[in-house]
Amino acid sequence: MITNRSDYILAIAEHGNISRAAKTLYISQSGLNQKLIKLEEELGLQLFQRNKQHLSLTPAGKIYVENAKKIQEIQKVTYAQLGELKDGARGDIFLGTTQAHGIDLFTAIFPLFHEKFPHINLHIQERT
Amino acid sequence: MITNRSDYILAIAEHGNISRAAKTLYISQSGLNQKLIKLEEELGLQLFQRNKQHLSLTPAGKIYVENAKKIQEIQKVTYAQLGELKDGARGDIFLGTTQAHGIDLFTAIFPLFHEKFPHINLHIQERT
DNA sequence: TGCCGTTACGTGAACCGTAACTATC
DNA sequence: GATAGTTACGGTTCACGTAACGGCA
């Protein structure tokens, strides 16, 4: 799972609590806090209102979270698409040729093929 | 302008050339190249086909670029929204009060106010 | 030779953890 | 005292630039 900045903020927003969010992300609460502060500084806007009991989203925070969710969704779809593509480039392919020089062709192309699709095993089967 | 990984890849795709893309991004071609290679390693997929003359998108690259554009658009909108919000918290506010102790109220609240909205200048005008 | 991608290498910055401080319950 | 956020400090990792190399017009 690839986590990025948006995920951290979404986790905080979800829990309304840096400490608990940090636990779910398997990072220190200090580190997560630093991330939040740094992002707010970069944006020049507070994303969370620090209350006594918990953190609540500011208007800016709501905008950020709303869009972060959209981005997260797109990323999810993207990785799914790429994952399929990667799995597709994995497996075995059996080739049959009736011509003797088919093997020559194969041996000429194989290095290039293997370079591009290292996870596909090509099997040549000559039939006389 | 905040640039992220997606922007780098989009620039390469646009120019079909790392060197030129690097110039438009004001970074070294070496650094941009390193970014691309690292991303491809993380994904486990090549995004660009290295041809003699130029770089062209692989199927995986096309998927990535397509989604990167969507994300870029969302980010653009997000920053625009946040920018408006930030500008809204900037300017001058003139307050008038007819009661003498209005000033006391003001002086009590002002520090908190200024902490949250440092870019708004509050002007108090007492009328007798 | 010039332009391209790639790699080696070093340095400055960024990340992020532990620990300590403060405030609230 | 328990739990919260914040800050200090430090070590490690990472980013990214310069320089050098190899392939191709």
Side-chain angles (χ1 to χ4, degrees), chain A residues 14-30:
Chain A
E14 192 177 330
H15 292 92
N17 180 318
I18 291 179
S19 298
R20 268 193 290 279
K23 280 202 186 100
T24 69
L25 296 167
Y26 300 105
I27 61 172
S28 70
Q29 100 285 12
S30 173

Side-chain angles (χ1 to χ4, degrees), chain B:
Chain B
M1 198 55 177
I2 294 175
T3 54
N4 58 26
R5 180 132 90 172
S6 296
D7 298 328
Y8 294 127
I9 304 305
L10 287 179
I12 299 175
E14 192 178 330
H15 292 92
N17 181 316
I18 291 179
S19 298
R20 268 192 289 278
K23 280 201 186 103
T24 69
L25 295 167
Y26 300 105
I27 61 172
S28 70
Q29 99 285 10
S30 173
L32 182 56
N33 184 54
Q34 291 172 50
K35 279 175 186 292
L36 171 58
I37 290 174
K38 189 179 174 218
L39 175 57
E40 289 181 330
E41 281 174 358
E42 284 180 19
L43 294 175
L45 287 167
Q46 274 203 344
L47 298 180
F48 291 93
Q49 184 66 42
R50 273 72 165 178
N51 302 317
K52 306 297 180 191
Q53 324 287 1
H54 65 291
L55 303 186
S56 57
L57 286 167
T58 62
K62 283 178 189 164
I63 290 174
Y64 189 93
V65 163
E66 197 177 321
N67 288 282
K69 281 182 184 168
K70 290 183 197 167
I71 290 177
Q72 207 179 43
E73 182 59 27
I74 292 176
Q75 287 178 337
K76 215 177 90 184
V77 172
T78 304
Y79 287 122
Q81 290 174 337
L82 292 179
E84 285 176 20
L85 203 148
K86 195 154 63 169
D87 292 338
R90 191 179 294 275
D92 293 73
I93 293 181
F94 294 87
L95 290 177
T97 171
T98 55
Q99 298 194 355
H101 63 270
I103 291 186
D104 298 337
L105 234 169
F106 172 75
T107 54
I109 289 178
F110 180 75
L112 297 173
F113 183 88
H114 185 261
E115 190 181 356
K116 290 202 194 309
F117 306 102
H119 297 107
I120 291 188
N121 299 318
L122 268 184
H123 304 270
I124 190 85
Q125 295 176 310
E126 190 176 354
R127 302 187 190 148
T128 53

Side-chain angles (χ1 to χ4, degrees), chain A residues 24-95:
Chain A
T24 69
L25 296 167
Y26 300 105
I27 61 172
S28 70
Q29 100 285 12
S30 173
L32 182 56
N33 184 53
Q34 292 172 48
K35 279 176 187 292
L36 171 58
I37 290 174
K38 190 183 173 214
L39 175 57
E40 289 180 331
E41 281 174 357
E42 283 180 21
L43 295 175
L45 287 167
Q46 273 204 344
L47 298 181
F48 291 92
Q49 184 67 41
R50 273 72 166 176
N51 303 317
K52 306 296 180 190
Q53 325 286 0
H54 65 291
L55 304 187
S56 57
L57 287 167
T58 61
K62 283 178 188 164
I63 291 174
Y64 189 93
V65 164
E66 197 176 321
N67 288 282
K69 281 182 184 168
K70 291 183 197 166
I71 289 176
Q72 208 178 41
E73 182 59 28
I74 292 176
Q75 287 178 336
K76 215 177 90 185
V77 172
T78 304
Y79 288 123
Q81 290 175 337
L82 292 178
E84 285 177 20
L85 203 148
K86 194 153 64 169
D87 291 338
R90 192 179 294 274
D92 292 74
I93 294 181
F94 294 87
L95 290 177

